[in-house]
Amino acid sequence: MSKEKLLYLQTFGCQMNVSDSEKIAGLLQGIGYRPTNDSSQADLIILNTCSVRARAEEKVYNHLVQYKGLKRKKPGVLLGVGGCVAQQEGERLLCTLPHLDFVFGTHNLHLLPELVLSAEKGERLAEVSFIDNEKRLDLFPADTANTGVSRFVTVTQGCDNFCSYCIVPYVRGREISRRSAEIIEEISLLAAKGVKEVTLLGQNVNSYGLKNSGEMDFVTLLRKVCEVSGIERLRFTTSHPKDFSLQLIDCFAELPKLCKHVHLPAQAGSNAVLSAMNRGYTREAYLSLVRRLKEVSPGIQITGDIIVGFPGETEANFQETLSLLEEVRYTDVFSFIYSKRPETRAASYQDHVDAEEKQARLDRLLALQRKITLENNRSFVGTVQEVLVEGESRRGGQLYGRISGNRIVNLAADPALVGQMVRVAITTAYQNSLQGELCS
Ligand code: SF4
């Protein structure tokens, strides 16, 4: 009997990478690799990387250097790099890191088993070529091997928006929409295996289907997914505000399975900065979208992304971002200091904001958002929420789940309730979660 081989898979960055890592684990199961959480036990280590921010990329290099020591102690272990850093650097990584065995790009997941088998024979290879759209559609990896309560299902890949700061169109390629029939088939299979909630995933899901002749649009796709029996909850991410249609807003009133949460990245609150970012909307249009969402779906939770210290951002521009936070009253915001990315348009912009000032602005923004988040979390205390129980909580002896608005709730309950929708009375609000009690 052949010896079981262990895979240690490290994922950096966004939800898209988390979803790709699930697919990587599924593909490598096919050639005998089982996941482990202990890198020192692994026969194969793969880093699924992100290059959206310089910091994320540095982290990857730090890890790769650390694995040099591990490979010295255990020479048989294989080391591979995938994702956006792999796409960006390609063969250069093999040249600069002699202990690295293989590199695979964002369009090459399907080639991974072959690459690993070649690496097992001692070959060092990099496969980072972009694939034309027709072939890419045929190679869209579905993943129904791994299940659970809640799953991500990819509906689009790549992006055509070319926001001036963003490397995604260069490392993930142009936007393609997966065939709707295959999406529905994957979701039906997941539902048959007990999955209760799906999140449709893409860099900009709102433009789903618009560039494929004869394909349905995103609103129709949502309606079709809601018809899949066994699926109790539906979410989607990420939305681009410029493509968020009135029909899509109305779905929050019309589709009971659609959860009351939208991730709607604004990136900045000032029109001057939004224009320099090439975002394609104004502050006024963004706020009007938020107002309409709140009218159609009272209590809807809105999360966002903000970039602080974009080249040319003045104190007055930054004040407009702070006031946007106050007006939207985000549930939570993912905020970052601008970082210059190769090939992007903003990399050539004059950057007058010094590092200390950028950090100070980020600290001010974080302080304001922490206050809003806590106030918002407190507004749930005393309410009863439908919670889909997802698993055991990191708080010992408890379970965790999420409300429709995507806030985490911890509760003491029987583990047999994992996968069930239960009613929970919210008793306490913390900064990042809620505490509740099961209603009888
Ligand atoms: S919409 Fe803009 S920020 Fe989002 S992935 Fe596309 S280019 Fe990047």
Side-chain angles (χ1 to χ4, degrees):
M1 211 170 77
S2 63
K3 179 185 163 284
E4 182 176 56
K5 297 175 284 187
L6 295 178
L7 162 69
Y8 181 72
L9 183 53
Q10 214 171 351
T11 307
F12 300 82
C14 63
Q15 202 48 61
M16 190 61 89
N17 269 14
V18 174
S19 171
D20 281 350
S21 285
E22 288 173 355
K23 292 175 185 122
I24 289 171
L27 283 167
L28 294 181
Q29 243 169 41
I31 55 165
Y33 282 91
R34 188 172 63 77
T36 175
N37 290 325
D38 181 356
S39 59
S40 70
Q41 296 297 314
D43 301 288
L44 169 62
I45 296 174
I46 292 183
L47 280 73
N48 189 15
T49 63
C50 172
S51 61
V52 164
R53 277 171 283 282
R55 204 65 180 274
E57 198 177 325
E58 279 161 24
K59 246 169 127 180
V60 170
Y61 284 103
N62 290 341
H63 281 277
L64 281 169
V65 169
Q66 277 170 24
Y67 287 130
K68 201 172 175 178
L70 182 78
K71 281 206 66 159
R72 221 179 281 130
K73 278 192 234 150
K74 200 178 162 189
V77 64
L78 298 176
L79 182 61
V81 176
C84 296
V85 175
Q87 188 64 50
Q88 197 182 297
E89 299 301 318
E91 289 235 13
R92 275 199 299 267
L93 282 173
L94 287 181
C95 298
T96 51
L97 300 164
H99 62 294
L100 185 62
D101 295 291
F102 62 93
V103 174
F104 59 102
T106 54
H107 285 198
N108 309 108
L109 282 196
H110 63 290
L111 297 175
L112 190 53
E114 259 176 66
L115 278 173
V116 172
L117 292 173
S118 302
E120 286 177 354
K121 290 183 205 141
E123 285 179 63
R124 293 180 79 229
L125 295 169
E127 191 49 80
V128 292
S129 45
F130 271 173
I131 293 173
D132 71 66
N133 283 356
E134 261 319 296
K135 193 149 173 239
R136 247 169 108 199
L137 274 177
D138 289 333
L139 292 170
F140 233 113
D143 176 23
T144 52
N146 303 301
T147 52
V149 176
S150 176
R151 285 295 308 275
F152 284 89
V153 173
T154 306
V155 299
T156 68
Q157 270 186 351
C159 185
D160 289 346
N161 286 316
F162 291 91
C163 300
S164 65
Y165 53 83
C166 183
I167 199 169
V168 165
Y170 306 95
V171 290
R172 291 223 168 237
R174 304 302 292 263
E175 178 183 296
I176 58 163
S177 295
R178 190 177 171 197
R179 296 181 188 106
S180 54
E182 288 169 19
I183 296 170
I184 300 297
E185 190 188 337
E186 180 174 340
I187 294 173
S188 305
L189 279 166
L190 290 171
K193 290 184 172 185
V195 170
K196 299 283 168 58
E197 174 185 279
V198 287
T199 303
L200 306 185
L201 186 64
Q203 252 82 35
N204 175 21
V205 290
N206 306 153
S207 57
Y208 173 84
L210 298 183
K211 288 156 199 158
N212 303 26
S213 79
E215 188 49 277
M216 58 179 70
D217 64 7
F218 189 57
V219 166
T220 314
L221 180 69
L222 287 183
R223 293 184 192 281
K224 290 276 172 215
V225 175
C226 285
E227 288 168 12
V228 175
S229 130
I231 294 299
E232 294 180 26
R233 277 185 168 179
L234 172 61
R235 303 179 186 274
F236 57 83
T237 195
T238 290
S239 288
H240 196 305
K242 79 175 169 50
D243 294 318
F244 212 108
S245 66
L246 291 176
Q247 290 88 332
L248 181 54
I249 297 175
D250 289 341
C251 285
F252 287 93
E254 292 162 12
L255 302 175
K257 291 184 182 180
L258 187 60
C259 290
K260 288 161 82 85
H261 167 233
V262 179
H263 185 64
L264 196 63
Q267 308 298 5
S270 133
N271 282 337
V273 176
L274 287 171
S275 164
M277 286 178 164
N278 191 33
R279 287 291 288 172
Y281 53 85
T282 59
R283 172 193 177 92
E284 294 72 26
Y286 182 89
L287 284 172
S288 135
L289 174 55
V290 168
R291 260 193 308 277
R292 178 92 183 118
L293 277 163
K294 289 183 175 181
E295 275 161 23
V296 166
S297 180
I300 194 165
Q301 302 295 303
I302 297 173
T303 50
D305 297 340
I306 297 286
I307 294 172
V308 172
F310 189 75
E313 181 192 71
T314 62
E315 171 61 24
N317 297 147
F318 177 64
Q319 289 285 347
E320 289 182 87
T321 296
L322 293 182
S323 72
L324 187 86
L325 261 54
E326 301 265 21
E327 282 195 52
V328 176
R329 307 265 324 153
Y330 289 104
T331 311
D332 230 331
V333 163
F334 302 93
S335 46
F336 307 94
I337 290 176
Y338 166 76
S339 87
K340 191 171 173 170
R341 299 287 62 212
E343 294 190 65
T344 60
R345 184 142 41 107
S348 63
Y349 292 177
Q350 281 287 327
D351 188 355
H352 297 295
V353 193
D354 70 44
E356 216 171 292
E357 176 58 25
K358 285 179 186 171
Q359 186 59 54
R361 285 182 192 170
L362 180 66
D363 292 344
R364 286 159 65 196
L365 184 134
L366 287 171
L368 172 60
Q369 185 54 46
R370 264 197 299 273
K371 177 176 151 290
I372 296 171
T373 295
L374 188 56
E375 284 168 5
N376 185 61
N377 283 353
R378 284 183 178 143
S379 71
F380 289 103
V381 174
T383 66
V384 172
Q385 300 287 326
E386 293 266 317
V387 172
L388 177 60
V389 184
E390 293 183 31
E392 288 186 20
S393 166
R394 275 182 287 183
R395 292 177 182 224
Q398 295 200 50
L399 304 181
Y400 81 94
R402 278 174 300 148
I403 64 170
S404 174
N406 212 29
R407 298 272 82 194
I408 295 274
V409 180
N410 292 297
L411 69 154
D414 185 340
L417 288 178
V418 172
Q420 306 285 313
M421 195 80 84
V422 295
R423 284 165 60 76
V424 176
I426 306 300
T427 54
T428 316
Y430 300 107
Q431 187 67 50
N432 297 315
S433 65
L434 304 169
Q435 183 69 43
E437 283 171 9
L438 197 61
C439 294
S440 52

